[in-house]
Amino acid sequence: MITEALEPHQPLLSVRDIDKSYGGLRAIDGVSLDIKRGEIVALVGDNGAGKSTLIKMICGALRPDGGEILLRGAPVSFGSPKDATDSGIETVHQSLGLVETLNVPENVFLGREKTFRVFGLFNQLDLPKMRAETRRLLEKFRISVPTLNEPVFRLSGGQRQTIAISRLLLSEPDVIIMDEPMAALGVDEGRQVMDLVVNLRDQGIAVLMISHNLEHVFQIADRIAVLKNGRLVGVVATAETSREAVVAMITLGAA
Ligand SMILES: Nc1ncnc2c1ncn2[C@@H]1O[C@H](COP(=O)(O)OP(=O)(O)OP(=O)(O)O)[C@@H](O)[C@H]1O
Ligand SMILES: [Mg+2]
């Protein structure tokens, strides 16, 4: 991706005054949000606040009714999730999208398998190449899994989550969006995923992460964006706020 031209303080991704209604219900109402390179922004709010609706518009799964999305300062209009991934925005959904019976490299390369031509006639999977590239990717992001060769159902929940994220890193995205990446994970497994998210941030990726777990949010997010009833209550720097203040924003809608 071409991000060199970006000014240091220019946001990588901006959402400006965006709206989305489902029938008569305003699920997102005039929301604006910026995310910079090398920053983790947590998106929090009660059930039904509009978090998933907002990220679906950013990742091309839903079209906004109004407002705009800017990437590297230029307006973008995504007709599909593929448009967003082609622009450098990758999304991890709650259903991780792994095939449980396939091993780690097969999952990492799912849908973009490496092949070579045999006798100039047919394509054969290049397993050694996929394995080597998977190993390189896991090393780069310091992801540890016990073995690459076992089907992923043998891995822990945290390991599966890190594999689901590492798949996306293959395309070297600028922005990663995650819907509840640490939900339903135990303490150690949650820690493993949080370490990876911090690692992505430190490599210059802009991370937007939905989470209900304020403990996780306060451990890793640089800024916290609070939604209530489709509106942005506010965006606060984690270092300059408290758990109580964020809870008040979520429940009362007051900054
Ligand atoms: N496809 C849809 N059709 C109609 N209404 C919808 C649809 N998707 C979401 N909504 C409504 O829009 C509002 C926002 O929903 P959304 O899923 O974005 O919330 P959320 O913040 O992600 O909630 P949760 O924390 O429960 O996942 C809710 O009132 C929800 O019922
Ligand atoms: Mg949701």
Side-chain angles (χ1 to χ4, degrees):
M1 288 296 130
I2 306 145
T3 46
E4 289 78 9
L6 209 61
E7 296 290 319
H9 296 293
Q10 188 187 358
L12 180 58
L13 178 75
S14 296
V15 171
R16 297 261 173 85
D17 204 17
I18 206 169
D19 297 308
K20 182 74 198 179
S21 295
Y22 298 110
L25 177 91
R26 278 224 150 187
I28 286 292
D29 189 356
V31 169
S32 299
L33 182 65
D34 289 336
I35 308 172
K36 295 189 270 290
R37 288 177 66 80
E39 169 175 67
I40 300 170
V41 175
L43 186 59
V44 304
D46 271 337
N47 295 114
K51 304 178 297 295
S52 294
T53 302
L54 179 61
I55 69 163
K56 281 179 189 163
M57 290 190 278
I58 300 172
C59 76
L62 271 183
R63 269 200 187 276
D65 296 335
E68 56 178 2
I69 299 172
L70 306 174
L71 189 60
R72 303 173 201 97
V76 287
S77 171
F78 301 137
S80 73
K82 187 176 179 301
D83 290 345
T85 57
D86 288 348
S87 302
I89 300 177
E90 292 278 0
T91 307
V92 196
H93 296 280
Q94 263 182 292
S95 58
L96 301 179
L98 298 176
V99 178
E100 299 279 300
T101 51
L102 296 181
N103 69 24
V104 175
E106 288 164 343
N107 268 290
V108 167
F109 282 91
L110 198 66
R112 46 195 156 180
E113 288 81 0
K114 298 274 176 208
T115 56
F116 59 89
R117 284 301 251 186
V118 182
F119 307 126
L121 283 175
F122 51 91
N123 289 329
Q124 173 99 11
L125 281 182
D126 194 343
L127 295 173
K129 187 166 190 180
M130 298 199 297
R131 204 172 296 129
E133 285 196 26
T134 299
R135 200 165 281 132
R136 182 190 57 79
L137 195 67
L138 298 186
E139 267 166 27
K140 179 175 174 194
F141 291 97
R142 285 185 247 117
I143 300 167
S144 72
V145 286
T147 166
L148 295 186
N149 302 318
E150 295 282 324
V152 295
F153 70 75
R154 300 254 165 82
L155 301 179
S156 73
Q159 286 162 348
R160 284 209 294 273
Q161 179 66 259
T162 58
I163 297 306
I165 297 170
S166 57
R167 290 192 65 209
L168 309 180
L169 301 174
L170 211 54
S171 61
E172 305 193 341
D174 291 327
V175 181
I176 292 195
I177 300 173
M178 295 185 250
D179 199 344
E180 294 275 1
M182 278 89 66
L185 295 180
V187 175
D188 287 349
E189 304 206 321
R191 178 80 258 160
Q192 190 176 1
V193 176
M194 284 194 283
D195 287 346
L196 173 56
V197 175
V198 167
N199 215 321
L200 301 178
R201 187 248 328 259
D202 293 346
Q203 307 245 357
I205 294 174
V207 179
L208 178 62
M209 175 187 83
I210 293 180
S211 180
H212 275 106
N213 187 325
L214 287 187
E215 194 164 324
H216 290 156
V217 166
F218 272 83
Q219 280 184 51
I220 64 173
D222 298 294
R223 292 189 299 142
I224 304 170
V226 183
L227 280 179
K228 183 174 171 62
N229 298 334
R231 290 171 176 272
L232 188 74
V233 178
V235 185
V236 287
T238 311
E240 291 163 12
T241 189
S242 65
R243 197 85 68 91
E244 294 70 29
V246 171
V247 170
M249 290 170 77
I250 293 171
T251 54
L252 308 173

